[in-house]
Amino acid sequence: KGSLHNHSNWSDGRNSLEEIVAHMQELGCAYWAITDHSKSSVQANGLQPDRLRKQLVEIRALNQKLADEGADFRLLTGSEVDILNEGKLDFDNDLLAELDVVVASIHQGFAQSEAETTKRLIRVAENPFVHMMGHLTGRLLLEREPYKVNQHAVIDACAETGTWIELNASPYRFDMDWRLWHYAKNKGVKCVINCDAHRLEHAGFLRFGAGIARKGWLTKEDVLNTLPLHSLQQELKKKRSKKM
């Protein structure tokens, strides 16, 4: 029904919020999350908290306009928040609580040991305001090797805490790897097939992601962004309600 990890021209994406709304509506999506980079991703024009809150105001105004027009589509607010050393995040929980969708990803500190990186990701899974892990190993196919991490241990932590794992459908990533999804499924971990879109045409990555998910023996019931908007919103509330 849509992707929950995407970027706009507020950070390092190409397109405006209005352009994204028009294109995703034309494709027949029910929703599309805007999860621009957080403040530590300086190279990606990451948003400071004040800029993020300004973006929230614009998204709410766009959604109100869509509602007034009777459109069956909604932009979801969010952030791809950076995982810093020792599993700290570069936005505080008060800000994360204002967002519909929170994706946590590593963009720095790739040289840590397997034990350090694993502990770092497990700590993030324990945060009640993080919905999902983004591109779990940080790999770029044919360009950058994955950082060292015990993926089974992270999957176990996600199962225990109700944290989702994305299947990053960018053909440069396909991360988490298809061979790990059978294990994750058996543990009860839910998948989100995400485009990590930086331009309109990247919406087509959803088809690639569905193919990788099938290869990993996932079905519609295992993938949360097959849900209609209302059901997805209920799922987005579950982890926070358990922890608070």
Side-chain angles (χ1 to χ4, degrees):
K1 303 291 184 179
S3 169
L4 301 186
H5 174 185
N6 311 286
H7 303 277
S8 75
N9 62 2
W10 282 67
S11 65
D12 62 343
R14 171 172 290 188
N15 301 100
S16 68
L17 299 176
E18 293 82 1
E19 289 170 335
I20 291 168
V21 167
H23 188 74
M24 301 316 159
Q25 278 188 286
E26 185 178 350
L27 292 179
C29 293
Y31 46 79
W32 200 259
I34 302 298
T35 55
D36 281 312
H37 288 283
S38 56
K39 62 183 181 180
S40 294
S41 288
V42 178
Q43 77 286 353
N45 192 28
L47 278 64
Q48 293 288 333
D50 61 333
R51 284 188 66 220
L52 178 55
R53 288 193 167 99
K54 289 178 182 177
Q55 185 186 70
L56 301 188
V57 171
E58 289 208 15
I59 290 176
R60 290 184 189 117
L62 275 172
N63 281 330
Q64 185 59 56
K65 181 181 178 183
L66 289 165
D68 292 343
E69 295 171 350
D72 190 18
F73 179 85
R74 180 167 177 176
L75 273 187
L76 299 174
T77 62
S79 177
E80 183 184 15
V81 62
D82 264 33
I83 302 172
L84 308 177
N85 291 335
E86 300 178 358
K88 295 179 180 179
L89 301 175
D90 68 342
F91 283 155
D92 61 35
N93 285 346
D94 288 343
L95 179 54
L96 298 182
E98 297 180 37
L99 307 175
D100 295 323
V101 179
V102 176
V103 185
S105 304
I106 289 178
H107 294 107
Q108 57 184 284
F110 292 172
Q112 286 184 320
S113 69
E114 178 179 301
E116 289 171 326
T117 302
T118 302
K119 183 178 179 182
R120 183 178 174 189
L121 288 171
I122 289 173
R123 180 176 177 184
V124 169
E126 294 168 349
N127 186 311
F129 298 98
V130 171
H131 292 106
M132 75 194 83
M133 299 287 191
H135 42 73
L136 190 60
T137 73
R139 73 182 186 183
L140 293 175
L141 296 173
L142 304 179
E143 183 177 337
R144 184 175 71 206
E145 291 296 314
Y147 42 73
K148 297 175 182 177
V149 57
N150 183 336
Q151 294 182 73
H152 288 87
V154 176
I155 292 169
D156 291 346
C158 288
E160 185 175 341
T161 59
T163 307
W164 311 335
I165 298 176
E166 82 166 5
L167 194 169
N168 190 299
S170 166
Y172 297 103
R173 293 190 183 273
F174 291 150
D175 192 9
M176 192 170 67
D177 190 89
W178 70 271
R179 288 164 287 194
L180 274 295
W181 282 110
H182 188 263
Y183 180 80
K185 175 175 179 171
N186 286 342
K187 287 287 184 175
V189 175
K190 294 297 185 180
C191 170
V192 185
I193 298 173
N194 286 327
C195 298
D196 196 354
H198 287 72
R199 56 183 68 189
L200 298 180
E201 55 266 36
H202 290 173
F205 293 167
L206 282 174
R207 185 177 296 275
F208 296 156
I212 297 295
R214 292 187 184 110
K215 190 174 181 180
W217 294 94
L218 298 183
T219 67
K220 180 178 178 179
E221 288 69 30
D222 304 310
V223 179
L224 283 162
N225 51 324
T226 63
L227 294 173
L229 177 60
H230 176 72
S231 299
L232 176 68
Q233 288 172 322
Q234 294 303 114
E235 292 296 326
L236 286 165
K237 294 175 182 176
K238 282 185 176 180
K239 185 180 179 185
R240 292 176 178 179
S241 64
K242 289 178 183 177
K243 296 289 186 177
M244 293 176 68

PDB file of all heavy atoms in Angstrom, residues 104-136:
ATOM      1  N   ALA A 104      15.322   3.540  12.292  1.00  0.00           N
ATOM      2  CA  ALA A 104      16.651   3.757  12.875  1.00  0.00           C
ATOM      3  C   ALA A 104      17.701   3.042  12.026  1.00  0.00           C
ATOM      4  O   ALA A 104      17.560   1.844  11.750  1.00  0.00           O
ATOM      5  CB  ALA A 104      16.698   3.257  14.310  1.00  0.00           C
ATOM      6  N   SER A 105      18.735   3.777  11.621  1.00  0.00           N
ATOM      7  CA  SER A 105      19.747   3.231  10.718  1.00  0.00           C
ATOM      8  C   SER A 105      21.139   3.676  11.134  1.00  0.00           C
ATOM      9  O   SER A 105      21.318   4.757  11.708  1.00  0.00           O
ATOM     10  CB  SER A 105      19.500   3.697   9.277  1.00  0.00           C
ATOM     11  OG  SER A 105      18.210   3.375   8.834  1.00  0.00           O
ATOM     12  N   ILE A 106      22.117   2.850  10.804  1.00  0.00           N
ATOM     13  CA  ILE A 106      23.528   3.201  11.010  1.00  0.00           C
ATOM     14  C   ILE A 106      24.071   3.824   9.735  1.00  0.00           C
ATOM     15  O   ILE A 106      23.964   3.249   8.648  1.00  0.00           O
ATOM     16  CB  ILE A 106      24.348   1.950  11.387  1.00  0.00           C
ATOM     17  CG1 ILE A 106      23.988   1.485  12.807  1.00  0.00           C
ATOM     18  CG2 ILE A 106      25.843   2.229  11.280  1.00  0.00           C
ATOM     19  CD1 ILE A 106      24.724   0.222  13.250  1.00  0.00           C
ATOM     20  N   HIS A 107      24.670   5.006   9.871  1.00  0.00           N
ATOM     21  CA  HIS A 107      25.331   5.675   8.754  1.00  0.00           C
ATOM     22  C   HIS A 107      26.776   6.037   9.089  1.00  0.00           C
ATOM     23  O   HIS A 107      27.445   6.705   8.297  1.00  0.00           O
ATOM     24  CB  HIS A 107      24.576   6.949   8.366  1.00  0.00           C
ATOM     25  CG  HIS A 107      23.213   6.700   7.806  1.00  0.00           C
ATOM     26  ND1 HIS A 107      22.054   6.957   8.501  1.00  0.00           N
ATOM     27  CD2 HIS A 107      22.821   6.198   6.611  1.00  0.00           C
ATOM     28  CE1 HIS A 107      21.001   6.642   7.761  1.00  0.00           C
ATOM     29  NE2 HIS A 107      21.440   6.172   6.614  1.00  0.00           N
ATOM     30  N   GLN A 108      27.251   5.615  10.251  1.00  0.00           N
ATOM     31  CA  GLN A 108      28.612   5.940  10.687  1.00  0.00           C
ATOM     32  C   GLN A 108      29.078   4.865  11.669  1.00  0.00           C
ATOM     33  O   GLN A 108      28.270   4.081  12.176  1.00  0.00           O
ATOM     34  CB  GLN A 108      28.616   7.310  11.366  1.00  0.00           C
ATOM     35  CG  GLN A 108      27.654   7.401  12.541  1.00  0.00           C
ATOM     36  CD  GLN A 108      27.593   8.792  13.133  1.00  0.00           C
ATOM     37  OE1 GLN A 108      28.499   9.196  13.849  1.00  0.00           O
ATOM     38  NE2 GLN A 108      26.534   9.517  12.852  1.00  0.00           N
ATOM     39  N   GLY A 109      30.380   4.839  11.931  1.00  0.00           N
ATOM     40  CA  GLY A 109      30.916   3.867  12.885  1.00  0.00           C
ATOM     41  C   GLY A 109      30.902   2.448  12.359  1.00  0.00           C
ATOM     42  O   GLY A 109      30.649   1.494  13.090  1.00  0.00           O
ATOM     43  N   PHE A 110      31.212   2.299  11.062  1.00  0.00           N
ATOM     44  CA  PHE A 110      31.176   0.976  10.441  1.00  0.00           C
ATOM     45  C   PHE A 110      32.312   0.065  10.904  1.00  0.00           C
ATOM     46  O   PHE A 110      32.261  -1.142  10.684  1.00  0.00           O
ATOM     47  CB  PHE A 110      31.264   1.107   8.917  1.00  0.00           C
ATOM     48  CG  PHE A 110      30.052   1.727   8.270  1.00  0.00           C
ATOM     49  CD1 PHE A 110      30.072   2.054   6.930  1.00  0.00           C
ATOM     50  CD2 PHE A 110      28.898   1.981   8.993  1.00  0.00           C
ATOM     51  CE1 PHE A 110      28.955   2.618   6.312  1.00  0.00           C
ATOM     52  CE2 PHE A 110      27.781   2.532   8.402  1.00  0.00           C
ATOM     53  CZ  PHE A 110      27.808   2.857   7.055  1.00  0.00           C
ATOM     54  N   ALA A 111      33.334   0.629  11.532  1.00  0.00           N
ATOM     55  CA  ALA A 111      34.526  -0.158  11.871  1.00  0.00           C
ATOM     56  C   ALA A 111      34.445  -0.826  13.237  1.00  0.00           C
ATOM     57  O   ALA A 111      35.407  -1.448  13.685  1.00  0.00           O
ATOM     58  CB  ALA A 111      35.762   0.737  11.803  1.00  0.00           C
ATOM     59  N   GLN A 112      33.336  -0.711  13.922  1.00  0.00           N
ATOM     60  CA  GLN A 112      33.212  -1.354  15.219  1.00  0.00           C
ATOM     61  C   GLN A 112      33.280  -2.873  15.095  1.00  0.00           C
ATOM     62  O   GLN A 112      33.034  -3.438  14.027  1.00  0.00           O
ATOM     63  CB  GLN A 112      31.881  -0.962  15.872  1.00  0.00           C
ATOM     64  CG  GLN A 112      31.816   0.451  16.404  1.00  0.00           C
ATOM     65  CD  GLN A 112      30.494   0.733  17.113  1.00  0.00           C
ATOM     66  OE1 GLN A 112      29.444   0.306  16.668  1.00  0.00           O
ATOM     67  NE2 GLN A 112      30.560   1.463  18.210  1.00  0.00           N
ATOM     68  N   SER A 113      33.577  -3.522  16.209  1.00  0.00           N
ATOM     69  CA  SER A 113      33.605  -4.988  16.223  1.00  0.00           C
ATOM     70  C   SER A 113      32.183  -5.531  16.100  1.00  0.00           C
ATOM     71  O   SER A 113      31.195  -4.805  16.305  1.00  0.00           O
ATOM     72  CB  SER A 113      34.226  -5.490  17.521  1.00  0.00           C
ATOM     73  OG  SER A 113      33.368  -5.213  18.624  1.00  0.00           O
ATOM     74  N   GLU A 114      32.071  -6.818  15.809  1.00  0.00           N
ATOM     75  CA  GLU A 114      30.756  -7.448  15.710  1.00  0.00           C
ATOM     76  C   GLU A 114      29.992  -7.319  17.028  1.00  0.00           C
ATOM     77  O   GLU A 114      28.794  -7.009  17.036  1.00  0.00           O
ATOM     78  CB  GLU A 114      30.900  -8.926  15.343  1.00  0.00           C
ATOM     79  CG  GLU A 114      29.565  -9.661  15.268  1.00  0.00           C
ATOM     80  CD  GLU A 114      29.727 -11.117  14.882  1.00  0.00           C
ATOM     81  OE1 GLU A 114      30.277 -11.386  13.796  1.00  0.00           O
ATOM     82  OE2 GLU A 114      29.295 -11.986  15.675  1.00  0.00           O
ATOM     83  N   ALA A 115      30.675  -7.523  18.140  1.00  0.00           N
ATOM     84  CA  ALA A 115      30.012  -7.436  19.447  1.00  0.00           C
ATOM     85  C   ALA A 115      29.511  -6.026  19.719  1.00  0.00           C
ATOM     86  O   ALA A 115      28.393  -5.831  20.218  1.00  0.00           O
ATOM     87  CB  ALA A 115      30.969  -7.878  20.548  1.00  0.00           C
ATOM     88  N   GLU A 116      30.320  -5.019  19.379  1.00  0.00           N
ATOM     89  CA  GLU A 116      29.928  -3.624  19.624  1.00  0.00           C
ATOM     90  C   GLU A 116      28.726  -3.223  18.768  1.00  0.00           C
ATOM     91  O   GLU A 116      27.781  -2.605  19.261  1.00  0.00           O
ATOM     92  CB  GLU A 116      31.114  -2.699  19.330  1.00  0.00           C
ATOM     93  CG  GLU A 116      32.234  -2.781  20.342  1.00  0.00           C
ATOM     94  CD  GLU A 116      33.472  -2.018  19.913  1.00  0.00           C
ATOM     95  OE1 GLU A 116      33.756  -1.963  18.693  1.00  0.00           O
ATOM     96  OE2 GLU A 116      34.163  -1.467  20.794  1.00  0.00           O
ATOM     97  N   THR A 117      28.774  -3.575  17.478  1.00  0.00           N
ATOM     98  CA  THR A 117      27.667  -3.214  16.585  1.00  0.00           C
ATOM     99  C   THR A 117      26.391  -3.948  16.967  1.00  0.00           C
ATOM    100  O   THR A 117      25.296  -3.376  16.949  1.00  0.00           O
ATOM    101  CB  THR A 117      28.042  -3.515  15.124  1.00  0.00           C
ATOM    102  OG1 THR A 117      29.222  -2.795  14.777  1.00  0.00           O
ATOM    103  CG2 THR A 117      26.915  -3.119  14.178  1.00  0.00           C
ATOM    104  N   THR A 118      26.525  -5.210  17.327  1.00  0.00           N
ATOM    105  CA  THR A 118      25.353  -5.990  17.731  1.00  0.00           C
ATOM    106  C   THR A 118      24.706  -5.383  18.975  1.00  0.00           C
ATOM    107  O   THR A 118      23.481  -5.199  19.033  1.00  0.00           O
ATOM    108  CB  THR A 118      25.741  -7.447  17.991  1.00  0.00           C
ATOM    109  OG1 THR A 118      26.339  -7.997  16.802  1.00  0.00           O
ATOM    110  CG2 THR A 118      24.537  -8.283  18.386  1.00  0.00           C
ATOM    111  N   LYS A 119      25.513  -5.051  19.962  1.00  0.00           N
ATOM    112  CA  LYS A 119      24.998  -4.431  21.187  1.00  0.00           C
ATOM    113  C   LYS A 119      24.336  -3.094  20.879  1.00  0.00           C
ATOM    114  O   LYS A 119      23.288  -2.747  21.443  1.00  0.00           O
ATOM    115  CB  LYS A 119      26.152  -4.236  22.180  1.00  0.00           C
ATOM    116  CG  LYS A 119      25.733  -3.657  23.521  1.00  0.00           C
ATOM    117  CD  LYS A 119      26.927  -3.551  24.458  1.00  0.00           C
ATOM    118  CE  LYS A 119      26.517  -2.942  25.805  1.00  0.00           C
ATOM    119  NZ  LYS A 119      27.705  -2.805  26.710  1.00  0.00           N
ATOM    120  N   ARG A 120      24.927  -2.354  19.967  1.00  0.00           N
ATOM    121  CA  ARG A 120      24.412  -1.048  19.542  1.00  0.00           C
ATOM    122  C   ARG A 120      23.002  -1.184  18.951  1.00  0.00           C
ATOM    123  O   ARG A 120      22.095  -0.427  19.293  1.00  0.00           O
ATOM    124  CB  ARG A 120      25.398  -0.503  18.504  1.00  0.00           C
ATOM    125  CG  ARG A 120      25.178   0.862  17.933  1.00  0.00           C
ATOM    126  CD  ARG A 120      26.355   1.121  16.983  1.00  0.00           C
ATOM    127  NE  ARG A 120      26.222   2.346  16.232  1.00  0.00           N
ATOM    128  CZ  ARG A 120      27.043   2.677  15.227  1.00  0.00           C
ATOM    129  NH1 ARG A 120      28.039   1.866  14.882  1.00  0.00           N
ATOM    130  NH2 ARG A 120      26.882   3.805  14.571  1.00  0.00           N
ATOM    131  N   LEU A 121      22.800  -2.177  18.092  1.00  0.00           N
ATOM    132  CA  LEU A 121      21.507  -2.373  17.450  1.00  0.00           C
ATOM    133  C   LEU A 121      20.470  -2.942  18.415  1.00  0.00           C
ATOM    134  O   LEU A 121      19.290  -2.589  18.346  1.00  0.00           O
ATOM    135  CB  LEU A 121      21.657  -3.277  16.227  1.00  0.00           C
ATOM    136  CG  LEU A 121      22.366  -2.637  15.030  1.00  0.00           C
ATOM    137  CD1 LEU A 121      22.655  -3.681  13.958  1.00  0.00           C
ATOM    138  CD2 LEU A 121      21.545  -1.502  14.444  1.00  0.00           C
ATOM    139  N   ILE A 122      20.898  -3.804  19.314  1.00  0.00           N
ATOM    140  CA  ILE A 122      19.967  -4.350  20.299  1.00  0.00           C
ATOM    141  C   ILE A 122      19.437  -3.234  21.200  1.00  0.00           C
ATOM    142  O   ILE A 122      18.249  -3.205  21.539  1.00  0.00           O
ATOM    143  CB  ILE A 122      20.641  -5.462  21.118  1.00  0.00           C
ATOM    144  CG1 ILE A 122      20.835  -6.704  20.239  1.00  0.00           C
ATOM    145  CG2 ILE A 122      19.828  -5.812  22.356  1.00  0.00           C
ATOM    146  CD1 ILE A 122      21.644  -7.821  20.893  1.00  0.00           C
ATOM    147  N   ARG A 123      20.304  -2.308  21.560  1.00  0.00           N
ATOM    148  CA  ARG A 123      19.860  -1.187  22.388  1.00  0.00           C
ATOM    149  C   ARG A 123      18.795  -0.369  21.657  1.00  0.00           C
ATOM    150  O   ARG A 123      17.813   0.083  22.255  1.00  0.00           O
ATOM    151  CB  ARG A 123      21.042  -0.304  22.768  1.00  0.00           C
ATOM    152  CG  ARG A 123      20.636   0.887  23.637  1.00  0.00           C
ATOM    153  CD  ARG A 123      21.825   1.698  24.099  1.00  0.00           C
ATOM    154  NE  ARG A 123      21.382   2.860  24.877  1.00  0.00           N
ATOM    155  CZ  ARG A 123      22.192   3.803  25.348  1.00  0.00           C
ATOM    156  NH1 ARG A 123      23.504   3.717  25.147  1.00  0.00           N
ATOM    157  NH2 ARG A 123      21.702   4.825  26.033  1.00  0.00           N
ATOM    158  N   VAL A 124      18.968  -0.183  20.365  1.00  0.00           N
ATOM    159  CA  VAL A 124      17.985   0.567  19.580  1.00  0.00           C
ATOM    160  C   VAL A 124      16.653  -0.176  19.538  1.00  0.00           C
ATOM    161  O   VAL A 124      15.586   0.427  19.640  1.00  0.00           O
ATOM    162  CB  VAL A 124      18.520   0.805  18.152  1.00  0.00           C
ATOM    163  CG1 VAL A 124      17.430   1.345  17.239  1.00  0.00           C
ATOM    164  CG2 VAL A 124      19.690   1.776  18.191  1.00  0.00           C
ATOM    165  N   ALA A 125      16.713  -1.502  19.393  1.00  0.00           N
ATOM    166  CA  ALA A 125      15.475  -2.295  19.376  1.00  0.00           C
ATOM    167  C   ALA A 125      14.688  -2.112  20.666  1.00  0.00           C
ATOM    168  O   ALA A 125      13.454  -2.227  20.666  1.00  0.00           O
ATOM    169  CB  ALA A 125      15.805  -3.765  19.140  1.00  0.00           C
ATOM    170  N   GLU A 126      15.367  -1.820  21.740  1.00  0.00           N
ATOM    171  CA  GLU A 126      14.713  -1.658  23.039  1.00  0.00           C
ATOM    172  C   GLU A 126      14.058  -0.288  23.210  1.00  0.00           C
ATOM    173  O   GLU A 126      13.319  -0.069  24.167  1.00  0.00           O
ATOM    174  CB  GLU A 126      15.737  -1.894  24.163  1.00  0.00           C
ATOM    175  CG  GLU A 126      16.237  -3.339  24.206  1.00  0.00           C
ATOM    176  CD  GLU A 126      17.449  -3.525  25.116  1.00  0.00           C
ATOM    177  OE1 GLU A 126      18.030  -2.503  25.543  1.00  0.00           O
ATOM    178  OE2 GLU A 126      17.808  -4.677  25.383  1.00  0.00           O
ATOM    179  N   ASN A 127      14.311   0.625  22.272  1.00  0.00           N
ATOM    180  CA  ASN A 127      13.712   1.963  22.356  1.00  0.00           C
ATOM    181  C   ASN A 127      12.246   1.888  21.928  1.00  0.00           C
ATOM    182  O   ASN A 127      11.946   1.473  20.802  1.00  0.00           O
ATOM    183  CB  ASN A 127      14.475   2.939  21.455  1.00  0.00           C
ATOM    184  CG  ASN A 127      13.993   4.371  21.614  1.00  0.00           C
ATOM    185  OD1 ASN A 127      12.805   4.668  21.569  1.00  0.00           O
ATOM    186  ND2 ASN A 127      14.931   5.286  21.792  1.00  0.00           N
ATOM    187  N   PRO A 128      11.304   2.297  22.775  1.00  0.00           N
ATOM    188  CA  PRO A 128       9.885   2.156  22.442  1.00  0.00           C
ATOM    189  C   PRO A 128       9.417   3.045  21.302  1.00  0.00           C
ATOM    190  O   PRO A 128       8.321   2.849  20.777  1.00  0.00           O
ATOM    191  CB  PRO A 128       9.186   2.533  23.752  1.00  0.00           C
ATOM    192  CG  PRO A 128      10.147   3.418  24.465  1.00  0.00           C
ATOM    193  CD  PRO A 128      11.501   2.877  24.129  1.00  0.00           C
ATOM    194  N   PHE A 129      10.232   4.024  20.903  1.00  0.00           N
ATOM    195  CA  PHE A 129       9.816   4.953  19.859  1.00  0.00           C
ATOM    196  C   PHE A 129      10.393   4.600  18.490  1.00  0.00           C
ATOM    197  O   PHE A 129      10.131   5.286  17.510  1.00  0.00           O
ATOM    198  CB  PHE A 129      10.195   6.380  20.250  1.00  0.00           C
ATOM    199  CG  PHE A 129       9.502   6.828  21.504  1.00  0.00           C
ATOM    200  CD1 PHE A 129      10.152   6.767  22.733  1.00  0.00           C
ATOM    201  CD2 PHE A 129       8.188   7.256  21.479  1.00  0.00           C
ATOM    202  CE1 PHE A 129       9.510   7.149  23.905  1.00  0.00           C
ATOM    203  CE2 PHE A 129       7.535   7.634  22.639  1.00  0.00           C
ATOM    204  CZ  PHE A 129       8.189   7.577  23.858  1.00  0.00           C
ATOM    205  N   VAL A 130      11.174   3.515  18.411  1.00  0.00           N
ATOM    206  CA  VAL A 130      11.727   3.056  17.138  1.00  0.00           C
ATOM    207  C   VAL A 130      10.833   1.949  16.596  1.00  0.00           C
ATOM    208  O   VAL A 130      10.686   0.902  17.217  1.00  0.00           O
ATOM    209  CB  VAL A 130      13.171   2.547  17.312  1.00  0.00           C
ATOM    210  CG1 VAL A 130      13.651   1.879  16.023  1.00  0.00           C
ATOM    211  CG2 VAL A 130      14.098   3.692  17.693  1.00  0.00           C
ATOM    212  N   HIS A 131      10.246   2.191  15.435  1.00  0.00           N
ATOM    213  CA  HIS A 131       9.379   1.183  14.835  1.00  0.00           C
ATOM    214  C   HIS A 131      10.162   0.087  14.123  1.00  0.00           C
ATOM    215  O   HIS A 131       9.783  -1.082  14.184  1.00  0.00           O
ATOM    216  CB  HIS A 131       8.425   1.832  13.827  1.00  0.00           C
ATOM    217  CG  HIS A 131       7.410   2.718  14.457  1.00  0.00           C
ATOM    218  ND1 HIS A 131       7.476   4.097  14.387  1.00  0.00           N
ATOM    219  CD2 HIS A 131       6.307   2.437  15.195  1.00  0.00           C
ATOM    220  CE1 HIS A 131       6.443   4.617  15.033  1.00  0.00           C
ATOM    221  NE2 HIS A 131       5.721   3.641  15.532  1.00  0.00           N
ATOM    222  N   MET A 132      11.238   0.484  13.426  1.00  0.00           N
ATOM    223  CA  MET A 132      11.920  -0.512  12.597  1.00  0.00           C
ATOM    224  C   MET A 132      13.396  -0.193  12.414  1.00  0.00           C
ATOM    225  O   MET A 132      13.821   0.961  12.520  1.00  0.00           O
ATOM    226  CB  MET A 132      11.248  -0.629  11.233  1.00  0.00           C
ATOM    227  CG  MET A 132      11.523   0.499  10.277  1.00  0.00           C
ATOM    228  SD  MET A 132      10.423   0.522   8.845  1.00  0.00           S
ATOM    229  CE  MET A 132       9.001   1.374   9.555  1.00  0.00           C
ATOM    230  N   MET A 133      14.152  -1.249  12.137  1.00  0.00           N
ATOM    231  CA  MET A 133      15.556  -1.140  11.771  1.00  0.00           C
ATOM    232  C   MET A 133      15.661  -0.913  10.265  1.00  0.00           C
ATOM    233  O   MET A 133      15.037  -1.620   9.473  1.00  0.00           O
ATOM    234  CB  MET A 133      16.300  -2.427  12.114  1.00  0.00           C
ATOM    235  CG  MET A 133      16.292  -2.785  13.574  1.00  0.00           C
ATOM    236  SD  MET A 133      17.394  -1.693  14.504  1.00  0.00           S
ATOM    237  CE  MET A 133      17.413  -2.567  16.075  1.00  0.00           C
ATOM    238  N   GLY A 134      16.470   0.065   9.876  1.00  0.00           N
ATOM    239  CA  GLY A 134      16.719   0.308   8.460  1.00  0.00           C
ATOM    240  C   GLY A 134      17.997  -0.368   7.997  1.00  0.00           C
ATOM    241  O   GLY A 134      18.943  -0.516   8.778  1.00  0.00           O
ATOM    242  N   HIS A 135      18.012  -0.807   6.729  1.00  0.00           N
ATOM    243  CA  HIS A 135      19.159  -1.500   6.094  1.00  0.00           C
ATOM    244  C   HIS A 135      20.135  -2.073   7.139  1.00  0.00           C
ATOM    245  O   HIS A 135      21.176  -1.508   7.440  1.00  0.00           O
ATOM    246  CB  HIS A 135      19.887  -0.621   5.076  1.00  0.00           C
ATOM    247  CG  HIS A 135      20.117   0.810   5.434  1.00  0.00           C
ATOM    248  ND1 HIS A 135      21.038   1.230   6.359  1.00  0.00           N
ATOM    249  CD2 HIS A 135      19.542   1.938   4.964  1.00  0.00           C
ATOM    250  CE1 HIS A 135      21.052   2.547   6.426  1.00  0.00           C
ATOM    251  NE2 HIS A 135      20.131   3.002   5.592  1.00  0.00           N
ATOM    252  N   LEU A 136      19.779  -3.246   7.633  1.00  0.00           N
ATOM    253  CA  LEU A 136      20.357  -3.823   8.849  1.00  0.00           C
ATOM    254  C   LEU A 136      21.872  -3.982   8.826  1.00  0.00           C
ATOM    255  O   LEU A 136      22.517  -3.872   9.868  1.00  0.00           O
ATOM    256  CB  LEU A 136      19.702  -5.175   9.129  1.00  0.00           C
ATOM    257  CG  LEU A 136      20.001  -5.826  10.472  1.00  0.00           C
ATOM    258  CD1 LEU A 136      19.546  -4.946  11.629  1.00  0.00           C
ATOM    259  CD2 LEU A 136      19.341  -7.196  10.562  1.00  0.00           C
TER     260      LEU A 136
END
